[in-house]
Amino acid sequence: MGRRYGYRGGSSYRSRDIGRERAREHIRQAGVLSRELGGTDKDVKAYFFSLSGAERGRVLDEYERLHGHSARDYAEKTIPKWRSGKVHMSGMVAERLFSLLPKYMPIEQKFKLTESLWRHIGPTSRRDLYVNPSVGIDELEEVVKGHLNTDVLDYMIPEQMERRFQWLSQGDVNVKQQLLNHLRQLEKGLAAESLRVNLPMLADHLRSSKGELTTNLRHKLEIGKNSITVHLTDKVEGITETAPAIPRGGGDSDWSWIWWVIGFFVLVAMFGG
């Protein structure tokens, strides 16, 4: 009886080891797939689950041709459970299915999947410009445009985006160029729209502040995850990214004296007895 109990225990341990190994393999495969798709696969899965019956049928026909009828049958039966989250799609199955999607995907959808990744991993920047109210709006506009070009339009395409381009184009150079052009036009359009809306506001701020003795107006331009905050202040000359120094004794009080008082009472407490 003792040996039989030990055998069951050993079998149980082996089963748990196999289960853990399979779980690790699923995690590894999911990581491989995520890298292949550009670092995020939620938008790709959402697209797959949104396919109509006819659209999904074309993908599954190819899937069956490559991996057999039983693989297709399992996929068709499990898609509702994958969609609801009741069953986790293994990395191997997802990799096989998603590798077929671009072939049947319209270019408009490829543009959307490019945009969704760009919103996730696109360039991020934050700048503060300190501007004297005497500066002309044309000069300020040129400086703002220059920073937008540097931060938004001239950044290097990250590796994740390159992977998404590669997956969507499936080696087709023309498709890859279309995706890149679309992304650049999107960025330029967002930058142009932000300037169109914000520059008149900046001009109004400049005009309204010229007659004031002290100026402390602020206006923020945002494009995606990039921002340029324009601070109108008479404490600087021209346009600079260096914040004006706050004079000692002006504005915020200097509370350093209180540390001397605290230190004195600590010494009294330690040695006064």
Side-chain angles (χ1 to χ4, degrees), residues 206-226:
L206 281 173
R207 283 192 293 268
S208 65
S209 62
K210 288 185 187 298
E212 299 178 9
L213 293 176
T214 58
T215 56
N216 188 21
L217 297 174
R218 184 173 65 180
H219 189 78
K220 190 174 186 179
L221 299 84
E222 291 184 293
I223 301 173
K225 295 184 290 183
N226 304 273

PDB file of all heavy atoms in Angstrom, residues 206-226:
ATOM      1  N   LEU A 206      -0.415  86.392 -26.806  1.00  0.00           N
ATOM      2  CA  LEU A 206       0.672  87.359 -26.973  1.00  0.00           C
ATOM      3  C   LEU A 206       0.134  88.783 -27.003  1.00  0.00           C
ATOM      4  O   LEU A 206       0.666  89.687 -26.354  1.00  0.00           O
ATOM      5  CB  LEU A 206       1.452  87.057 -28.256  1.00  0.00           C
ATOM      6  CG  LEU A 206       2.461  85.908 -28.195  1.00  0.00           C
ATOM      7  CD1 LEU A 206       3.014  85.629 -29.587  1.00  0.00           C
ATOM      8  CD2 LEU A 206       3.591  86.223 -27.235  1.00  0.00           C
ATOM      9  N   ARG A 207      -0.917  88.990 -27.785  1.00  0.00           N
ATOM     10  CA  ARG A 207      -1.481  90.339 -27.918  1.00  0.00           C
ATOM     11  C   ARG A 207      -2.049  90.835 -26.590  1.00  0.00           C
ATOM     12  O   ARG A 207      -1.884  91.981 -26.205  1.00  0.00           O
ATOM     13  CB  ARG A 207      -2.563  90.348 -28.993  1.00  0.00           C
ATOM     14  CG  ARG A 207      -2.015  90.345 -30.417  1.00  0.00           C
ATOM     15  CD  ARG A 207      -3.112  90.659 -31.419  1.00  0.00           C
ATOM     16  NE  ARG A 207      -4.112  89.585 -31.478  1.00  0.00           N
ATOM     17  CZ  ARG A 207      -4.046  88.571 -32.332  1.00  0.00           C
ATOM     18  NH1 ARG A 207      -3.034  88.486 -33.184  1.00  0.00           N
ATOM     19  NH2 ARG A 207      -4.984  87.644 -32.344  1.00  0.00           N
ATOM     20  N   SER A 208      -2.735  89.941 -25.863  1.00  0.00           N
ATOM     21  CA  SER A 208      -3.391  90.355 -24.620  1.00  0.00           C
ATOM     22  C   SER A 208      -2.394  90.617 -23.507  1.00  0.00           C
ATOM     23  O   SER A 208      -2.703  91.325 -22.552  1.00  0.00           O
ATOM     24  CB  SER A 208      -4.389  89.293 -24.166  1.00  0.00           C
ATOM     25  OG  SER A 208      -3.718  88.097 -23.831  1.00  0.00           O
ATOM     26  N   SER A 209      -1.188  90.052 -23.599  1.00  0.00           N
ATOM     27  CA  SER A 209      -0.232  90.182 -22.508  1.00  0.00           C
ATOM     28  C   SER A 209       0.747  91.331 -22.700  1.00  0.00           C
ATOM     29  O   SER A 209       1.485  91.677 -21.785  1.00  0.00           O
ATOM     30  CB  SER A 209       0.560  88.881 -22.345  1.00  0.00           C
ATOM     31  OG  SER A 209       1.297  88.617 -23.522  1.00  0.00           O
ATOM     32  N   LYS A 210       0.783  91.950 -23.870  1.00  0.00           N
ATOM     33  CA  LYS A 210       1.797  92.963 -24.139  1.00  0.00           C
ATOM     34  C   LYS A 210       1.644  94.192 -23.249  1.00  0.00           C
ATOM     35  O   LYS A 210       2.615  94.839 -22.907  1.00  0.00           O
ATOM     36  CB  LYS A 210       1.753  93.374 -25.610  1.00  0.00           C
ATOM     37  CG  LYS A 210       2.291  92.304 -26.546  1.00  0.00           C
ATOM     38  CD  LYS A 210       2.351  92.802 -27.975  1.00  0.00           C
ATOM     39  CE  LYS A 210       2.733  91.681 -28.937  1.00  0.00           C
ATOM     40  NZ  LYS A 210       4.056  91.146 -28.668  1.00  0.00           N
ATOM     41  N   GLY A 211       0.412  94.531 -22.851  1.00  0.00           N
ATOM     42  CA  GLY A 211       0.216  95.720 -22.046  1.00  0.00           C
ATOM     43  C   GLY A 211       0.260  95.468 -20.556  1.00  0.00           C
ATOM     44  O   GLY A 211       0.091  96.403 -19.769  1.00  0.00           O
ATOM     45  N   GLU A 212       0.488  94.230 -20.130  1.00  0.00           N
ATOM     46  CA  GLU A 212       0.469  93.912 -18.713  1.00  0.00           C
ATOM     47  C   GLU A 212       1.843  94.126 -18.085  1.00  0.00           C
ATOM     48  O   GLU A 212       2.867  93.930 -18.728  1.00  0.00           O
ATOM     49  CB  GLU A 212       0.015  92.466 -18.500  1.00  0.00           C
ATOM     50  CG  GLU A 212      -1.400  92.203 -19.012  1.00  0.00           C
ATOM     51  CD  GLU A 212      -1.802  90.749 -18.836  1.00  0.00           C
ATOM     52  OE1 GLU A 212      -1.037  90.026 -18.166  1.00  0.00           O
ATOM     53  OE2 GLU A 212      -2.852  90.358 -19.354  1.00  0.00           O
ATOM     54  N   LEU A 213       1.857  94.534 -16.807  1.00  0.00           N
ATOM     55  CA  LEU A 213       3.119  94.747 -16.122  1.00  0.00           C
ATOM     56  C   LEU A 213       3.822  93.421 -15.846  1.00  0.00           C
ATOM     57  O   LEU A 213       5.029  93.299 -15.967  1.00  0.00           O
ATOM     58  CB  LEU A 213       2.881  95.497 -14.802  1.00  0.00           C
ATOM     59  CG  LEU A 213       2.374  96.949 -14.957  1.00  0.00           C
ATOM     60  CD1 LEU A 213       2.070  97.550 -13.590  1.00  0.00           C
ATOM     61  CD2 LEU A 213       3.408  97.790 -15.695  1.00  0.00           C
ATOM     62  N   THR A 214       3.068  92.417 -15.439  1.00  0.00           N
ATOM     63  CA  THR A 214       3.627  91.083 -15.236  1.00  0.00           C
ATOM     64  C   THR A 214       2.794  90.097 -16.033  1.00  0.00           C
ATOM     65  O   THR A 214       1.577  90.215 -16.106  1.00  0.00           O
ATOM     66  CB  THR A 214       3.598  90.680 -13.747  1.00  0.00           C
ATOM     67  OG1 THR A 214       2.262  90.729 -13.268  1.00  0.00           O
ATOM     68  CG2 THR A 214       4.466  91.621 -12.921  1.00  0.00           C
ATOM     69  N   THR A 215       3.455  89.131 -16.620  1.00  0.00           N
ATOM     70  CA  THR A 215       2.742  88.151 -17.431  1.00  0.00           C
ATOM     71  C   THR A 215       3.081  86.754 -16.953  1.00  0.00           C
ATOM     72  O   THR A 215       4.226  86.453 -16.639  1.00  0.00           O
ATOM     73  CB  THR A 215       3.138  88.284 -18.915  1.00  0.00           C
ATOM     74  OG1 THR A 215       4.554  88.158 -19.028  1.00  0.00           O
ATOM     75  CG2 THR A 215       2.703  89.622 -19.483  1.00  0.00           C
ATOM     76  N   ASN A 216       2.096  85.918 -16.892  1.00  0.00           N
ATOM     77  CA  ASN A 216       2.310  84.535 -16.486  1.00  0.00           C
ATOM     78  C   ASN A 216       1.221  83.683 -17.114  1.00  0.00           C
ATOM     79  O   ASN A 216       0.438  83.049 -16.421  1.00  0.00           O
ATOM     80  CB  ASN A 216       2.293  84.409 -14.967  1.00  0.00           C
ATOM     81  CG  ASN A 216       2.710  83.021 -14.515  1.00  0.00           C
ATOM     82  OD1 ASN A 216       3.368  82.293 -15.255  1.00  0.00           O
ATOM     83  ND2 ASN A 216       2.313  82.654 -13.301  1.00  0.00           N
ATOM     84  N   LEU A 217       1.157  83.691 -18.440  1.00  0.00           N
ATOM     85  CA  LEU A 217       0.170  82.910 -19.167  1.00  0.00           C
ATOM     86  C   LEU A 217       0.809  81.634 -19.697  1.00  0.00           C
ATOM     87  O   LEU A 217       2.013  81.590 -19.977  1.00  0.00           O
ATOM     88  CB  LEU A 217      -0.404  83.732 -20.323  1.00  0.00           C
ATOM     89  CG  LEU A 217      -1.166  85.004 -19.922  1.00  0.00           C
ATOM     90  CD1 LEU A 217      -1.550  85.795 -21.156  1.00  0.00           C
ATOM     91  CD2 LEU A 217      -2.408  84.655 -19.110  1.00  0.00           C
ATOM     92  N   ARG A 218      -0.001  80.585 -19.857  1.00  0.00           N
ATOM     93  CA  ARG A 218       0.529  79.299 -20.307  1.00  0.00           C
ATOM     94  C   ARG A 218      -0.453  78.674 -21.285  1.00  0.00           C
ATOM     95  O   ARG A 218      -1.660  78.742 -21.095  1.00  0.00           O
ATOM     96  CB  ARG A 218       0.734  78.377 -19.100  1.00  0.00           C
ATOM     97  CG  ARG A 218       1.374  77.044 -19.443  1.00  0.00           C
ATOM     98  CD  ARG A 218       1.685  76.271 -18.193  1.00  0.00           C
ATOM     99  NE  ARG A 218       0.461  75.900 -17.484  1.00  0.00           N
ATOM    100  CZ  ARG A 218       0.442  75.202 -16.345  1.00  0.00           C
ATOM    101  NH1 ARG A 218       1.567  74.850 -15.770  1.00  0.00           N
ATOM    102  NH2 ARG A 218      -0.713  74.886 -15.776  1.00  0.00           N
ATOM    103  N   HIS A 219       0.106  78.055 -22.340  1.00  0.00           N
ATOM    104  CA  HIS A 219      -0.735  77.379 -23.331  1.00  0.00           C
ATOM    105  C   HIS A 219      -0.047  76.075 -23.749  1.00  0.00           C
ATOM    106  O   HIS A 219       1.150  76.061 -24.025  1.00  0.00           O
ATOM    107  CB  HIS A 219      -0.953  78.262 -24.559  1.00  0.00           C
ATOM    108  CG  HIS A 219      -1.981  77.699 -25.501  1.00  0.00           C
ATOM    109  ND1 HIS A 219      -3.333  77.803 -25.272  1.00  0.00           N
ATOM    110  CD2 HIS A 219      -1.850  76.999 -26.656  1.00  0.00           C
ATOM    111  CE1 HIS A 219      -3.991  77.208 -26.253  1.00  0.00           C
ATOM    112  NE2 HIS A 219      -3.124  76.712 -27.093  1.00  0.00           N
ATOM    113  N   LYS A 220      -0.813  74.986 -23.785  1.00  0.00           N
ATOM    114  CA  LYS A 220      -0.247  73.666 -24.052  1.00  0.00           C
ATOM    115  C   LYS A 220      -0.749  73.124 -25.373  1.00  0.00           C
ATOM    116  O   LYS A 220      -1.956  73.082 -25.619  1.00  0.00           O
ATOM    117  CB  LYS A 220      -0.603  72.705 -22.914  1.00  0.00           C
ATOM    118  CG  LYS A 220       0.131  71.366 -22.956  1.00  0.00           C
ATOM    119  CD  LYS A 220      -0.189  70.565 -21.697  1.00  0.00           C
ATOM    120  CE  LYS A 220       0.629  69.281 -21.625  1.00  0.00           C
ATOM    121  NZ  LYS A 220       0.344  68.520 -20.395  1.00  0.00           N
ATOM    122  N   LEU A 221       0.194  72.694 -26.245  1.00  0.00           N
ATOM    123  CA  LEU A 221      -0.138  72.030 -27.494  1.00  0.00           C
ATOM    124  C   LEU A 221       0.144  70.546 -27.318  1.00  0.00           C
ATOM    125  O   LEU A 221       1.232  70.166 -26.868  1.00  0.00           O
ATOM    126  CB  LEU A 221       0.694  72.561 -28.658  1.00  0.00           C
ATOM    127  CG  LEU A 221       0.584  74.036 -29.052  1.00  0.00           C
ATOM    128  CD1 LEU A 221       1.482  74.905 -28.189  1.00  0.00           C
ATOM    129  CD2 LEU A 221       0.969  74.203 -30.519  1.00  0.00           C
ATOM    130  N   GLU A 222      -0.801  69.681 -27.685  1.00  0.00           N
ATOM    131  CA  GLU A 222      -0.623  68.240 -27.550  1.00  0.00           C
ATOM    132  C   GLU A 222      -0.870  67.549 -28.885  1.00  0.00           C
ATOM    133  O   GLU A 222      -1.879  67.826 -29.554  1.00  0.00           O
ATOM    134  CB  GLU A 222      -1.567  67.673 -26.491  1.00  0.00           C
ATOM    135  CG  GLU A 222      -1.211  68.105 -25.085  1.00  0.00           C
ATOM    136  CD  GLU A 222      -2.088  67.457 -24.040  1.00  0.00           C
ATOM    137  OE1 GLU A 222      -3.288  67.773 -24.016  1.00  0.00           O
ATOM    138  OE2 GLU A 222      -1.570  66.628 -23.266  1.00  0.00           O
ATOM    139  N   ILE A 223       0.060  66.668 -29.266  1.00  0.00           N
ATOM    140  CA  ILE A 223      -0.079  65.851 -30.467  1.00  0.00           C
ATOM    141  C   ILE A 223       0.264  64.425 -30.071  1.00  0.00           C
ATOM    142  O   ILE A 223       1.436  64.099 -29.852  1.00  0.00           O
ATOM    143  CB  ILE A 223       0.852  66.325 -31.594  1.00  0.00           C
ATOM    144  CG1 ILE A 223       0.549  67.786 -31.944  1.00  0.00           C
ATOM    145  CG2 ILE A 223       0.709  65.449 -32.824  1.00  0.00           C
ATOM    146  CD1 ILE A 223       1.520  68.373 -32.930  1.00  0.00           C
ATOM    147  N   GLY A 224      -0.759  63.590 -29.970  1.00  0.00           N
ATOM    148  CA  GLY A 224      -0.504  62.230 -29.500  1.00  0.00           C
ATOM    149  C   GLY A 224       0.055  62.279 -28.088  1.00  0.00           C
ATOM    150  O   GLY A 224      -0.532  62.863 -27.169  1.00  0.00           O
ATOM    151  N   LYS A 225       1.236  61.702 -27.895  1.00  0.00           N
ATOM    152  CA  LYS A 225       1.890  61.700 -26.598  1.00  0.00           C
ATOM    153  C   LYS A 225       2.994  62.751 -26.517  1.00  0.00           C
ATOM    154  O   LYS A 225       3.901  62.654 -25.687  1.00  0.00           O
ATOM    155  CB  LYS A 225       2.458  60.302 -26.312  1.00  0.00           C
ATOM    156  CG  LYS A 225       1.382  59.242 -26.163  1.00  0.00           C
ATOM    157  CD  LYS A 225       1.958  57.893 -25.780  1.00  0.00           C
ATOM    158  CE  LYS A 225       2.734  57.256 -26.913  1.00  0.00           C
ATOM    159  NZ  LYS A 225       3.244  55.908 -26.572  1.00  0.00           N
ATOM    160  N   ASN A 226       2.914  63.749 -27.378  1.00  0.00           N
ATOM    161  CA  ASN A 226       3.886  64.831 -27.401  1.00  0.00           C
ATOM    162  C   ASN A 226       3.208  66.130 -26.973  1.00  0.00           C
ATOM    163  O   ASN A 226       2.068  66.398 -27.352  1.00  0.00           O
ATOM    164  CB  ASN A 226       4.467  65.006 -28.808  1.00  0.00           C
ATOM    165  CG  ASN A 226       5.087  63.724 -29.334  1.00  0.00           C
ATOM    166  OD1 ASN A 226       6.251  63.443 -29.100  1.00  0.00           O
ATOM    167  ND2 ASN A 226       4.298  62.935 -30.044  1.00  0.00           N
TER     168      ASN A 226
END
